[in-house]
Amino acid sequence: MKDSPRPSLSLLLCILWVPLASWAQALPTAGGEARAVEIDVQATDAGTTIAAEDATRLGLTPDGGAVSLLTPRLLTESPVSWPEGLQGAPSDVGLLLRIDEQGAVAEVTMEKPATHPQLNEAAIQAARGLHFTPATLGDRAVSVRLPYAYHFEPPAPLRFTQSRLRGEVRARGTREPLVDAALFLADGEEPVAITDLEGRFELELPPGTHSLRVRAPGHQLGTFEESLTSGQTLDVIYRLQPARVSPYETVVRDTRPRTEVSRITLQEQELREVPGTQGDPFKVIMLMPGVASVASGLGYPVVRGGQPAATGYYIDGVRVPMLYHLLLGPAVVHPEFIDTIDFHPGTPPVQYGRLLGGAVEGRLSKPREDRPHFAAYADLLNAGGFVEVPFDSTGTSLTVSGRYSYTGLLIPLAYAIFNDEEDNPIHAAFWDYQARIEQKVGAGRLRLLALGSSDDAGEATAGYEDSMGATIVSRFHRVDLRGTHPLAGGEAELGFTVGLDEVALLGYRRIILREERGPEEVLAGRYGLDQLTFSARTGWKRELSTSLAVHVGADVEHRRVATGITGSARPPGWRPQDDAHPLKQPSALATFTGVFAGATWRPAEKWLVSPGLRVDGYHLVPGIQHFVIEPRLAVRHTLTSTLTLKGGAGLYHQPPTVLLHLPAMDVSGLNHGVQEGAQFDVGAEWKLGSGLELSGDVYFNPLFRTVEFEVMDVLENRKRRGQPYADPKARGYAYGLDLMVRHPLGRDWFGWVTYSFLQSKRHRRFARYNDDNSIREVAEGELPFAFEQAHVFNAAVSYKFGDNWTVGSVLHFNTGRPESGEVSSVTQRESRTHDGYRLWVRQDADRVERLPAFFRVDFRVAKAWAYEEFNVEAYLDILNLSLQQEVFAYEYKRKAGKLQRNAMGLPVILPMFGLKGSY
């Protein structure tokens, strides 16, 4: 066997164990003890030297700016033999040796191993017997590192020319590299190779045909056959079939500690495979504890007895006005863009401001850095795509996604088939887009995010002249630039956002413009609310110690609102001077500012305290100012390893609200002041056996001041028309109980059961009516809130069967809302006049009845296939498979002298068949 050191001009030798205390000008160390350092040396034409600055630091006298090092010479060789009986080809083993001050080998490190482990072990053992002349620096012996190589030559009887097989082991469909996959030869019991962290392997085999078996956890056994010729290097990619496509595995991707009282975090298939949600992550919120609904299937949550608009919606820190298309449709963000969802039904932390209720935040998936990713789907209503491409050379990642609905084509076609051609056809359509560019900048990241959504629905004009039609349009756009970077031992964030919101009513009329063309549809008028928003936010968080972390931040929003009016159709209350533009001539200007500070403190091992303070300012031009202070506190106590007690409280404020977010309401409504309330929550979390988790919360939310506009008052514009309207200011409270038993992802299934009890009241003035529908008196008292559903129950389960079949179901039940007239009909009572005439009379607000209870069953079944480079899934998702009808109002009428009360409702059934592919 041959062995030799391998010198090189580019070689960097490292001086080790130079005792500084032994040099006259060495830097002092604690206690005056010697301290070893390690520095680089350079091999040059003039010899091996160390830099002048290193020589000065070591207390040496530089010679021409550098100090020369006399490198070791080999004195005693240590030959190595080819292992007995081992067949193979010539091989090299590269080592890195540390030579001590006596010239002996003190350390041996493997640098370039051979294929056969026996050769590596033989080289290491032999290297320990080498001996060198000591290296000297000036007149002092020092320790150095230098490379050394052994060359192995097999004896002639054992020599053969090897072939090399190298490649990767990946999962079929996802192309994920499989770590620790083992490769076996045909009948071997010991693996001949194990894949590394990138799924790669390399081995040498004799020429010929070889059968290999590849095993990896969670995947089916793969068998592959390769034919190798002498000296050939063959590159391969082996793909193993997953035992489950998208298995229900326990994932730990959210490492944030639990500091809040009532945060519920959902991720992975818990967001995309829940029956009745059509694969949209945000719709899963409707099945969480503390959530009621306006109507079955509608996506806007009624959280703990507040208006839907009292809950804030965020996409990775960017507030958005809505979550769903056409209320019933999919979410406004592509599902692939969402990684996790945080739902705070109560006591949200201090970073969430200007809201009276809960908070929902969708966190974007992290950009892929290893390979491109593509996904596309199509169902009966819409189609969408998702593209993500990383650029490793620049540290850039580009993501683009979007959806388009073809309901605009299907609904008019179906309407034309099943209805008279003279009728006004209905139409509905939507689209959305998202784009993200993320760039590594030093130790930080810079992200540019753009997203937007558009919905329109209405009734088109009929085919005859002077027919009328109307369309409601709702759109929003956001462009956000955010940067994060380490700062002062923590992480800082700075973001800027520009937003545009639009809600408009478009009126159309069919008139004759040219005789030869017949009646044509033209825009008769537009009444729109437009809002332009400029906002900025900043934050900084840091762990000061193992027991204390802080988080501070600030945000500001400047909103410019305009009421746009065009055409001949003027809305109620319009005046000639009302024309406006959100940027050039706004009709309302407002600026919202906020600062906050929070901490997470662990005073003892089992206690976690999270105090916080938020201060907000509301400014409406001209001269309306509101300043509020919001202290907040959350406490968690780990009673045992499986039981945690928790509690929280805080003050919360929000501008006036209407049923759903409207661009102008929270700005122009500030002349009524801000809403004010508090939230108190106590509960417990218990980890049961078999992966089950039980949580319970009891809450009380006093509402000191509410300004909740009724929908009809806003639509009829009563104030500007000089008509009487109900004073929107009130007070009230909500209290209830939330329970949840949950089995997170794992063991091929996930699911949960929730129960919520709610009482929500408002203290208001209301009228009492005589038997002839005249007002008898005006009373004052506590009335049930329009969205109060006393009992809500949900059960959801999804199971992954063999052969990649997934089956799931949801059971939902809720008691009815009050029939108070705000989002339903008004309860009527029977009455008679003095002459015996029967009529319906409006019931007093404190005596209204409730709508009937409702339940539904949702169902989802899916089948997945894994191909070489991509996955395909076919699914059928049915909302309300039980065909139950939900009553949302009653019709009160008199027919043939008899009073009739007829339920108004229909079974909202949404069957959805779709295909999804991902690469």
Side-chain angles (χ1 to χ4, degrees), residues 406-422:
Y406 24 82
T407 52
L409 302 175
L410 297 179
I411 293 178
L413 178 62
Y415 199 87
I417 294 175
F418 296 106
N419 291 273
D420 188 278
E421 62 179 9
E422 293 295 321

Side-chain angles (χ1 to χ4, degrees), residues 18-74:
V18 179
L20 291 182
S22 63
W23 301 93
Q25 300 178 23
L27 299 177
T29 59
E33 298 179 357
R35 178 165 59 92
V37 297
E38 183 170 339
I39 60 174
D40 291 335
V41 298
Q42 298 176 332
T44 66
D45 293 339
T48 305
T49 63
I50 66 171
E53 54 268 28
D54 287 330
T56 301
R57 182 162 60 96
L58 293 173
L60 301 174
T61 302
D63 182 11
V67 174
S68 297
L69 172 74
L70 182 62
T71 56
R73 288 184 300 103
L74 181 63

Side-chain angles (χ1 to χ4, degrees), residues 4 12 20 42 129 155 178 246 309 396 457 547 573 591 747 751 804 892 902:
S4 62
L12 289 181
L20 291 182
Q42 298 176 332
L178 299 181
S246 299
T396 308
S547 61
T591 301
R747 299 183 181 179
N804 295 316
Y892 297 88
N902 300 323

